[in-house]
Amino acid sequence: MTMSSEKQSTSDTYSYTSVVEAVGVLYNNSNGNGHLSKESASQWLDGFQKSIYSWQICNDILQHNTDLSCCYFAAQTMRSKIKYQFHELPPNTHHDLKASLFSHLNSQSRTSPQVVTQLCLAIADLALQMVQWRNSLQEIIVTLSRDGHLMDNLLEILFVMPEEINNKSLRLGQNRRRELIGEWDQHRLELLDFF
């Protein structure tokens, strides 16, 4: 693995293996090759999180359920990417991202509450920013209420969505906010059943 504090922009710099190794150094004090300090791992991971490659690699880490530290890092990165860099993804990939997040939530729901919280926030932020996701609230309710072990996750998403809609760091215009509030108003009786 080639890690340095210098920024490199090729996809060869960032790989599944190099990210897992860097996370191991940062969170678990594991240093397989002996050449990587916590500080350099942190700097390298910061660069990775800002790169376009982090979308796919973090998705792969969550899909393979690598380990708790890696899954937390990947979920946190996905949430951050959706919140601050959603514009990087072409619109034709948004539905695949949505499907992946639901899949990861399903597979992670019985593991770490910290990972699940990051995934719930990612889904909430995606629902708010993904304009082509019509009736997002209804789809979230239907998808997560089918399986009893996902009800806590559904409640977490329902709890954070109203908070996130007012989050100034999300790129939401006033028209989008009004559209979402109107959608939620249509489902207010359903929502009351959950609280």
Side-chain angles (χ1 to χ4, degrees):
M1 169 172 61
T2 307
M3 287 189 188
S4 69
S5 58
E6 299 170 354
K7 293 189 178 181
Q8 298 175 357
S9 61
T10 66
S11 62
D12 296 336
T13 303
Y14 302 117
S15 70
Y16 177 93
T17 305
S18 61
V19 172
V20 169
E21 184 179 327
V23 169
V25 169
L26 188 63
Y27 293 118
N28 303 323
N29 290 324
S30 65
N31 195 349
N33 65 13
H35 301 295
L36 195 56
S37 69
K38 277 190 171 209
E39 184 178 332
S40 61
S42 177
Q43 290 173 352
W44 187 87
L45 286 168
D46 185 53
F48 164 74
Q49 287 178 309
K50 294 174 184 169
S51 78
I52 191 81
Y53 307 107
S54 60
W55 291 101
Q56 184 61 51
I57 293 171
C58 287
N59 188 60
D60 292 345
I61 288 170
L62 288 163
Q63 184 176 354
H64 294 108
N65 204 3
T66 307
D67 68 31
L68 183 58
S69 296
C70 288
C71 286
Y72 179 75
F73 174 81
Q76 187 179 46
T77 300
M78 292 289 277
R79 190 274 172 120
S80 179
K81 295 291 281 186
I82 291 168
K83 188 172 185 172
Y84 299 110
Q85 297 163 328
F86 186 61
H87 63 278
E88 288 180 342
L89 288 180
N92 65 340
T93 64
H94 295 173
H95 287 286
D96 290 339
L97 175 61
K98 175 178 69 168
S100 287
L101 289 172
F102 278 119
S103 175
H104 299 320
L105 184 61
N106 187 38
S107 67
Q108 295 286 333
S109 65
R110 293 188 178 121
T111 58
S112 163
Q114 294 84 4
V115 173
V116 168
T117 294
Q118 292 302 310
L119 291 171
C120 287
L121 286 165
I123 290 170
D125 288 346
L126 181 66
L128 296 175
Q129 292 191 82
M130 188 174 155
V131 176
Q132 66 269 39
W133 188 0
R134 299 287 181 210
N135 295 314
S136 58
L137 183 62
Q138 182 178 11
E139 184 176 343
I140 290 168
I141 291 170
V142 168
T143 301
L144 298 181
S145 64
R146 279 188 218 141
D147 195 336
H149 82 275
L150 296 174
M151 286 303 289
D152 288 343
N153 307 137
L154 173 58
L155 291 174
E156 187 164 0
I157 291 171
L158 293 177
F159 184 76
V160 299
M161 281 181 86
E163 292 176 358
E164 289 295 296
I165 198 169
N166 292 315
N167 189 325
K168 300 297 181 202
S169 58
L170 283 178
R171 295 178 178 207
L172 295 179
Q174 198 57 35
N175 289 340
R176 178 67 177 153
R177 288 180 208 281
R178 273 191 231 115
E179 178 185 338
L180 289 163
I181 290 169
E183 178 186 320
W184 297 348
D185 192 46
Q186 290 174 353
H187 297 284
R188 69 180 172 274
L189 295 178
E190 270 181 276
L191 292 172
L192 288 174
D193 288 341
F194 290 104
F195 295 102

